[in-house]
Amino acid sequence: MAERYKILIVEDEEIIRFGLQDNFEMENYIVETAVDGEEAIEKADTFLPHLILLDLMIPKKSGFEVCRYVRKKHPECLIIMLTAKTEETSKVAGLEMGADDYVTKPFSILELLARVKAFLRRFSAQQAATEAAIAEAAQIPECLDFFDIHIDIKRFEATKNGVPLDLTNREFQVLKYFWNHKGDVITREELLKEIWGFTDENMPSTRTIDNHIVTLRKKIEDDQTNPKIIISVRGAGYKLDV
């Protein structure tokens, strides 16, 4: 089941607060509300919302103070300010303090719902990318050892039988990618996208990869004509055999 996002509505005008709460709850969000800045800060710490709809003109602590606090304490939380039409300088100040966007009163509830949905979709994509990067990093040790080769990922140093290897930065990246996908067949197109940064629109000849693999094999294989480490898979690509 997809995660239900949590939204904190900070608004001292009762009609607006209840109206927003009803509409967001109907869209299956988990909603909490706050009527002043102090309650907003308390609920930001306890409720841990994914997104805050924050009116700037609220009692006790201003929306600016809440925004500053949340951005420092919960940097991953999204903040959309609710401002009056005449508060142009307030919008600029709020954005400078770290708010992600603003909506001017009076606003269309459908537009606000759509904007919140877009922000949370982007948040979800960024979170997934971050988790994937962390997972990938966790799979790769600081040092790689296979056959008679030792690679220090952090120092960008490599040796074969204790003798230093003169690897380029890209060759380190290629070996690191192969290691993280060891045993899998890696296509030439995949390497061009993941290591070289090409896309389907500007993809060069895959001979580029073949030439780099030939050069790399000269450095790491005992016999490049009979490779034991980076194996060719006919009609598919290459794989690291460790």
Side-chain angles (χ1 to χ4, degrees):
M1 181 183 291
E3 180 179 11
R4 290 181 65 197
Y5 289 108
K6 296 190 289 185
I7 294 179
L8 174 61
I9 298 169
V10 185
E11 171 61 68
D12 62 328
E13 292 188 44
E14 187 175 295
I15 294 176
I16 297 177
R17 186 172 68 254
F18 286 160
L20 289 173
Q21 183 175 8
D22 286 345
N23 277 277
F24 278 98
E25 286 180 342
M26 282 192 290
E27 293 294 319
N28 203 35
Y29 293 102
I30 302 170
V31 180
E32 285 280 351
T33 64
V35 298
D36 58 56
E38 289 182 356
E39 186 180 14
I41 286 175
E42 178 187 339
K43 289 197 173 179
D45 287 338
T46 56
F47 181 53
L48 298 175
H50 294 97
L51 182 143
I52 298 177
L53 293 175
L54 177 62
D55 185 27
L56 291 182
M57 300 298 111
I58 50 177
K60 296 187 179 179
K61 288 185 182 293
S62 72
F64 296 114
E65 292 176 276
V66 174
C67 183
R68 191 184 299 114
Y69 175 87
V70 171
R71 188 51 65 230
K72 182 177 181 180
K73 189 80 179 292
H74 307 286
E76 73 288 348
C77 181
L78 299 168
I79 301 173
I80 297 180
M81 300 181 301
L82 305 178
T83 68
K85 212 167 192 177
T86 56
E87 295 172 350
E88 194 64 36
T89 55
S90 296
K91 297 171 188 174
V92 174
L95 292 171
E96 288 177 348
M97 288 180 186
D100 296 285
D101 199 1
Y102 67 86
V103 173
T104 302
K105 298 178 183 178
F107 48 79
S108 160
I109 187 63
L110 292 178
E111 179 188 347
L112 180 58
L113 287 167
R115 196 174 300 192
V116 167
K117 186 176 181 180
F119 265 96
L120 290 173
R121 188 187 302 120
R122 195 181 315 157
F123 168 83
S124 180
Q126 291 171 344
Q127 189 177 47
T130 300
E131 290 173 355
I134 292 171
E136 180 181 355
Q139 294 177 41
I140 303 175
E142 292 184 2
C143 295
L144 314 181
D145 291 283
F146 47 92
F147 291 88
D148 50 7
I149 293 172
H150 174 79
I151 297 175
D152 189 318
I153 295 294
K154 275 193 170 182
R155 296 184 179 183
F156 277 81
E157 296 176 350
T159 60
K160 179 177 174 65
N161 286 322
V163 178
L165 292 173
D166 184 20
L167 299 182
T168 65
N169 178 56
R170 187 146 282 160
E171 287 168 342
F172 271 104
Q173 291 180 49
V174 168
L175 285 174
K176 180 179 174 182
Y177 191 81
F178 270 119
W179 177 271
N180 199 36
H181 300 83
K182 51 185 177 289
D184 296 341
V185 176
I186 309 298
T187 66
R188 295 166 175 82
E189 291 80 7
E190 183 178 347
L191 287 171
L192 285 169
K193 289 179 180 179
E194 298 297 330
I195 306 300
W196 273 260
F198 290 106
T199 65
D200 290 330
E201 288 71 33
N202 65 354
M203 186 71 68
S205 167
T206 54
R207 289 295 302 169
T208 300
I209 295 299
D210 295 331
N211 293 334
H212 274 83
I213 294 297
V214 167
T215 302
L216 182 56
R217 280 173 170 166
K218 287 179 181 178
K219 297 178 180 181
I220 66 173
E221 299 279 0
D222 291 330
D223 179 4
Q224 62 173 311
T225 63
N226 185 29
K228 303 293 185 184
I229 302 173
I230 298 180
I231 309 298
S232 297
V233 180
R234 186 179 297 276
Y238 300 96
K239 70 175 181 177
L240 181 67
D241 187 3
V242 295

